[in-house]
Amino acid sequence: MSNHDYHRTELYIDGEWVAPTGTDAIEVINPATERVLGVVPSGTDADVDAAVAAARKAFDPNIGVAERRERLDAVITSMEKRLPDIAETITSEMGAPIRIAQSVQTQVPLAVARGFADALATFEFEERIGNSLVTREPYGVVAAITPWNYPLYQVVAKVIPAIAAGCTVVLKPSNEAPLSVFEFVESLHDSGLPPGVVNLVSGAGRVIGERLSEHADVDFVSFTGSTGVGSRVGELAGKTIKKVALELGGKSANVILDGADLTTAVKVGVGNAFLNGGQTCMAWTRMLVPQSRYAEALEIVESAVAKYTVGDPTDPGTRLGPSASAAQQQTVLGFIERAPGEGARLLTGGAQKIRDVGYYVAPTVFADVDPESELGQEEVFGPVLAVIPFGDTDEALEIANGTPYGLSGAVWATDEDTAVAFARQVQTGQLDINGGKYNPAAPFGGYKKSGIGRELGRIGFEEFLQIKSLQLP
């Protein structure tokens, strides 16, 4: 991995790598080794202002669809060439096992990007409604504020549709995993993207994120992260009445109804909960099981968890890497330590130290979790699964809907109709039915405190467009 440049001293503004106005830097720590991997600049308000000005100058609402499609195709081609390197970087900076980095962390963003290209190719930008011509135009300057858990995916889900729509972007990556985003932006530069269309400013959230959210010359803020920070973004954006899209936390339920294929539902559920070290907003972190099959389900859970090899994320045999940071590890361990005090029974794992070096957490499962307890209500963002028994489908629905969140989930039943009928009553943005596969063209987003707006595919693309009605004579 020595061919990577992890010592970054410049920001990307107006098509050039430029020195920041300040001298502060952010150290990026490899969570498996606890050593400094690299550094990125810690930008200032002045850097944000320069980036926004460049994006405003580059914004041209009259750029045609054909030219946007050319830009998009060039960007996707250039990005694809970098994916093997970006996968290595993601493993190094946030601890995703290399096989996950090479598949989910990089191939899913590629599929998402191609989905936006398909959406652009078939999208109708004008329609007649009675005597009105309804047109869709690019929003303008977009602030994209992205998290560390899927650093490339989250960036692609915002930057690619913005380019497709004819918008321009100022991008703020996370401080924990910014290096892969710098590599992505290099691929944008190599693609020949015009200056100012995408700009990159790294730095502290309380500086860069806040300045972008309240900036009078930003038209749309797209944020992915915690519900608490999302609330702050919305508050600041409200001062200038700008559009906000928020993709926030989750506490998704994997509901296994009586008569479902229990073995498959439990194994897939464990895999989903522990994917990416449990650091997934849409993870099914609550497993709801009929009381009549509860003991059987717990046996299957234990058997499945035993196969989760914890270790060096660069080893292809590793299924569970470290938490992405020391702070995240401590947060997760806190949840594990408090859960027994609220009646949860530790089934496997726990808060014990499992490796001498690295921010590791053992794959952990609690049984008998009270749906109203902290572990039944709050997002942990680590490899911690809560198993909850229920009596009948009414109780299952009450538990599934009984959190402030509504991002994802799953329903398993004897047949599709039964599962769909239950899923229609669940207050969440996305549900897998009997193991239905991920669709990168389907809209993704949350109900309740899981967010506002949708990402991915045609519907995600539309978020970047304003609607105008022309009433014709």
Side-chain angles (χ1 to χ4, degrees), residues 149-171:
N149 59 327
Y150 289 92
L152 179 64
Y153 165 83
Q154 305 286 4
V155 167
V156 163
K158 301 181 191 309
V159 171
I160 297 296
I163 295 170
C167 297
T168 56
V169 182
V170 180
L171 171 61

Side-chain angles (χ1 to χ4, degrees), residues 96-120:
I98 188 63
R99 286 173 65 180
I100 296 298
Q102 290 167 341
S103 55
V104 179
Q105 289 275 8
T106 50
Q107 291 303 311
V108 170
L110 181 60
V112 165
R114 287 172 173 162
F116 284 124
D118 291 342
L120 177 60

Side-chain angles (χ1 to χ4, degrees), residues 118-131:
D118 291 342
L120 177 60
T122 58
F123 193 79
E124 297 290 340
F125 286 88
E126 296 188 350
E127 64 177 312
R128 288 292 295 262
I129 300 177
N131 70 308

Side-chain angles (χ1 to χ4, degrees), residues 3-72:
N3 59 332
H4 296 275
D5 177 12
Y6 289 156
H7 189 80
R8 301 286 185 165
T9 58
E10 296 176 317
L11 304 171
Y12 189 71
I13 298 174
D14 205 17
E16 295 181 354
W17 292 98
V18 298
T21 54
T23 57
D24 289 349
I26 294 165
E27 290 187 338
V28 182
I29 307 297
N30 181 324
T33 66
E34 302 186 35
R35 293 179 182 158
V36 175
L37 175 67
V39 296
V40 297
S42 189
T44 64
D45 284 354
D47 296 319
V48 173
D49 292 348
V52 172
R56 175 56 62 198
K57 185 178 70 174
F59 176 61
D60 178 0
N62 299 313
I63 292 172
V65 172
E67 185 176 340
R68 284 188 252 151
R69 183 64 199 257
E70 284 177 15
R71 290 181 183 181
L72 206 58

Side-chain angles (χ1 to χ4, degrees), residues 31-324:
T33 66
E34 302 186 35
R35 293 179 182 158
V36 175
L37 175 67
V39 296
V40 297
S42 189
T44 64
D45 284 354
D47 296 319
V48 173
D49 292 348
V52 172
R56 175 56 62 198
K57 185 178 70 174
F59 176 61
D60 178 0
N62 299 313
I63 292 172
V65 172
E67 185 176 340
R68 284 188 252 151
R69 183 64 199 257
E70 284 177 15
R71 290 181 183 181
L72 206 58
D73 289 344
V75 162
I76 293 170
T77 299
S78 185
M79 175 182 80
E80 188 173 7
K81 291 175 186 171
R82 292 251 182 174
L83 292 183
D85 287 343
I86 290 174
E88 288 184 355
T89 299
I90 290 172
T91 292
S92 298
E93 68 182 345
M94 59 77 57
I98 188 63
R99 286 173 65 180
I100 296 298
Q102 290 167 341
S103 55
V104 179
Q105 289 275 8
T106 50
Q107 291 303 311
V108 170
L110 181 60
V112 165
R114 287 172 173 162
F116 284 124
D118 291 342
L120 177 60
T122 58
F123 193 79
E124 297 290 340
F125 286 88
E126 296 188 350
E127 64 177 312
R128 288 292 295 262
I129 300 177
N131 70 308
S132 301
L133 177 64
V134 179
T135 68
R136 289 168 175 80
E137 303 173 352
Y139 238 96
V141 176
V142 177
I145 304 172
T146 59
W148 49 260
N149 59 327
Y150 289 92
L152 179 64
Y153 165 83
Q154 305 286 4
V155 167
V156 163
K158 301 181 191 309
V159 171
I160 297 296
I163 295 170
C167 297
T168 56
V169 182
V170 180
L171 171 61
K172 183 226 170 292
S174 72
N175 293 342
E176 292 80 6
L179 296 168
S180 53
V181 181
F182 274 72
E183 292 180 342
F184 168 74
V185 171
E186 282 180 339
S187 77
L188 299 187
H189 180 80
D190 293 346
S191 76
L193 198 65
V197 174
V198 176
N199 307 271
L200 173 67
V201 182
S202 52
R206 67 183 182 279
V207 178
I208 310 303
E210 298 221 347
R211 181 66 175 161
L212 283 170
S213 299
E214 65 186 5
H215 203 293
D217 222 14
V218 168
D219 302 302
F220 174 19
V221 182
S222 181
F223 169 83
T224 298
S226 71
T227 297
V229 177
S231 175
R232 176 67 174 160
V233 168
E235 177 188 344
L236 291 171
K239 293 180 179 181
T240 48
I241 320 296
K242 59 169 64 74
K243 177 170 178 172
V244 176
L246 304 172
E247 201 266 272
L248 308 175
K251 191 68 181 176
S252 301
N254 177 24
V255 183
I256 305 171
L257 297 176
D258 207 14
D261 179 345
L262 189 68
T263 302
T264 301
V266 169
K267 285 182 177 176
V268 172
V270 168
N272 182 288
F274 289 165
L275 175 67
N276 207 43
Q279 299 167 136
T280 304
C281 56
M282 57 191 287
W284 309 337
T285 51
R286 296 180 298 149
M287 183 180 289
L288 278 53
V289 182
Q291 186 72 60
S292 60
R293 306 193 71 185
Y294 189 57
E296 185 185 352
L298 293 180
E299 286 182 12
I300 300 167
V301 167
E302 280 196 275
S303 168
V305 175
K307 296 184 173 71
Y308 273 76
T309 318
V310 181
D312 178 354
T314 64
D315 183 341
T318 294
R319 291 185 73 180
L320 203 68
S323 292

Side-chain angles (χ1 to χ4, degrees), residues 364-383:
T364 299
V365 181
F366 284 97
D368 310 341
V369 174
D370 179 351
E372 299 300 319
S373 68
E374 180 188 58
L375 191 60
Q377 290 285 315
E378 294 300 323
E379 183 173 48
V380 177
F381 231 58

